[in-house]
Amino acid sequence: MKVYQSIAAAVLASAMIFPTAVPAFAAQDQRSQAPGIQKQDTLRWVAPQDLKIGTAVAGGGHHETQGYPAPFPNDKEYLRHLAAEFDSVSPENQLKWEFVHPARDAYRFAEMDAIVQFAQENKQVVRGHTLFWHSQNPAWLEQGNFSKDELRAILKEHIQTVVGRYAGKIQQWDVANEIFDDSGKLRTTDNIWIRELGPEIIGDAFRWAHEADPQAKLFFNDYNVESLNAKSDAYLDLIPKLQAQGVPVDGFAVQGHLSTQYGFPADLQANLQRFDDLGLETAITEIDVRMRVPAGTQPTAAQLAEQASYYQRALQACVNVDECNSFTIWGFTDKYSWVPVFFANEGEATVMWNDFTRKPAYYALQDTLEQASPGRGNR
Ligand code: 9MR
């Protein structure tokens, strides 16, 4: 937190004029053009062809209360690494209701449009996040006192508008996010859609998303579902039931917000595999590995090694499961991570330091990808 604030202050002090346009990344392969980054020495270069290696694109959410301009598109060095290292990008906040749909009759698409354009220019796919959630909803929606018919129409219009706008440009959608609590019960109180419209609305959300973009792969996404537990069991039970009703569900995604305090979920691969066995795609969509770093201290070499091992084992679990096709880290530099903002005395959760130099965790990912696809570096 301390480091984070001092960086933020430095950025603020040095950046009085904020460029608003996305730098012109040309249509050709940009990986070789990122200054100081050799394209052969990146994550995407060594990744197997059938595994997208992704990151969240920092913006919105907690960034809005920090003392720096929006990382995307203002931090040029950040953008160089974003382009060079990754096959896939996920908007960290820019597609959440409160951001993209700030008033009932107004959408704010500029930031997401820029991310999609950046992705296309850099030959990256995009994961859409998210359409149906209990959190980060605007007050006009949560406190709107709408009738059931109105709410249903609002959700349908939102999904059709947002998914439709990016049809053909978003590879995977986290249609429904975090619909169960940790005991495996549907969030019938805090999820406005389930509370007001009943659980059947979940299937409708998937149907509407599919109508708006038949090519996109549609996912459930949640945290604390890395392991075999009540919450992941709930998805294992729900998804086939929905599919039997003709609901177009393609995948199950595990977020992967891990902490070295809690031990590595050793049954991650077994858990992904049981969804794979149902014929579903799987994905790891938001991994980071936080550690205890009291203010004024630095992580020890042992902590960094442990973190690297968590990243390595999570990636290996995905590599080992046939249809685990996407592995996304929730930000790649500590400079912009959500972790120290939300967890006192925890941080350093990503694979690069504030200055974009690489941690052991970065090399653990790179080595694991390379071993998963030996000789891959010829493309
Ligand atoms: O990283 C996001 C942060 O910027 C927001 O302030 C926060 C608000 O809830 O959401 C963070 O992203 C979350 C993601 O959308 C869903 N899974 C948990 C992530 C971390 O909280």
Side-chain angles (χ1 to χ4, degrees), residues 61-62 92-93 96 129 136 178 255 257 286 330 338 342:
H62 77 275
E92 186 177 4
N93 293 287
K96 293 172 182 174
H129 175 82
Q136 287 187 271
E178 303 171 4
Q255 293 179 6
H257 293 291
E286 305 183 15
W330 205 239
W338 71 290
F342 283 75

Side-chain angles (χ1 to χ4, degrees), residues 113-371:
D113 286 355
I115 292 172
V116 169
Q117 187 190 334
F118 179 93
Q120 292 191 324
E121 288 169 353
N122 292 289
K123 298 181 181 161
Q124 296 164 320
V125 298
V126 181
R127 295 197 82 263
H129 175 82
T130 179
L131 299 166
F132 183 105
W133 194 21
H134 64 274
S135 183
Q136 287 187 271
N137 287 328
W140 71 260
L141 172 66
E142 290 282 349
Q143 288 148 36
N145 286 321
F146 296 110
S147 70
K148 291 188 191 315
D149 284 350
E150 284 171 326
L151 270 181
R152 193 177 156 79
I154 287 169
L155 180 62
K156 183 175 183 182
E157 188 236 57
H158 177 94
I159 291 177
Q160 287 177 333
T161 303
V162 177
V163 178
R165 183 177 184 90
Y166 301 113
K169 298 175 180 170
I170 290 196
Q171 187 194 38
Q172 300 186 343
W173 265 104
D174 293 332
V175 173
N177 196 37
E178 303 171 4
I179 60 166
F180 291 108
D181 66 20
D182 283 353
S183 69
K185 292 202 178 65
L186 272 180
R187 290 184 188 265
T188 50
T189 312
D190 48 2
N191 183 306
I192 183 174
W193 311 112
I194 301 174
R195 183 184 68 232
E196 301 299 329
L197 302 173
E200 294 72 28
I201 193 65
I202 300 166
D204 289 333
F206 279 83
R207 288 192 182 94
W208 293 327
H210 183 67
E211 283 164 20
D213 185 357
Q215 285 172 264
K217 300 287 187 181
L218 307 183
F219 279 70
F220 283 98
N221 187 54
D222 214 325
Y223 64 90
N224 284 354
V225 288
E226 291 73 30
S227 289
L228 306 164
N229 58 28
K231 201 177 192 178
S232 58
D233 285 353
Y235 284 101
L236 196 74
D237 182 58
L238 175 69
I239 296 174
K241 285 183 181 153
L242 289 175
Q243 288 180 319
Q245 296 162 22
V247 176
V249 182
D250 299 295
F252 171 70
V254 167
Q255 293 179 6
H257 293 291
L258 304 178
S259 166
T260 56
Q261 288 187 81
Y262 302 126
F264 182 78
D267 48 3
L268 173 59
Q269 184 180 327
N271 188 38
L272 293 174
Q273 186 62 52
R274 64 187 186 149
F275 287 90
D276 193 88
D277 291 344
L278 291 178
L280 291 164
E281 287 195 38
T282 57
I284 294 178
T285 50
E286 305 183 15
I287 189 167
D288 47 25
V289 182
R290 58 188 190 272
M291 59 181 82
R292 241 188 93 66
V293 230
T297 69
Q298 292 294 318
T300 64
Q303 281 181 300
L304 292 172
E306 192 179 16
Q307 179 187 55
S309 155
Y310 276 47
Y311 273 104
Q312 190 278 327
R313 283 187 277 172
L315 177 55
Q316 192 65 54
C318 180
V319 163
N320 289 350
V321 173
D322 263 4
E323 294 298 322
C324 185
N325 300 325
S326 178
F327 182 92
T328 292
I329 58 181
W330 205 239
F332 59 90
T333 168
D334 290 342
K335 183 175 181 183
Y336 296 129
S337 171
W338 71 290
V339 168
V341 182
F342 283 75
F343 298 91
N345 296 321
E346 289 189 84
E348 321 294 352
T350 77
V351 301
M352 290 185 193
W353 299 106
N354 290 346
D355 64 359
F356 302 99
T357 52
R358 297 166 173 182
K359 296 180 182 174
Y362 176 94
Y363 295 108
L365 292 182
Q366 199 181 36
D367 290 350
T368 307
L369 291 170
E370 182 133 51
Q371 281 158 26

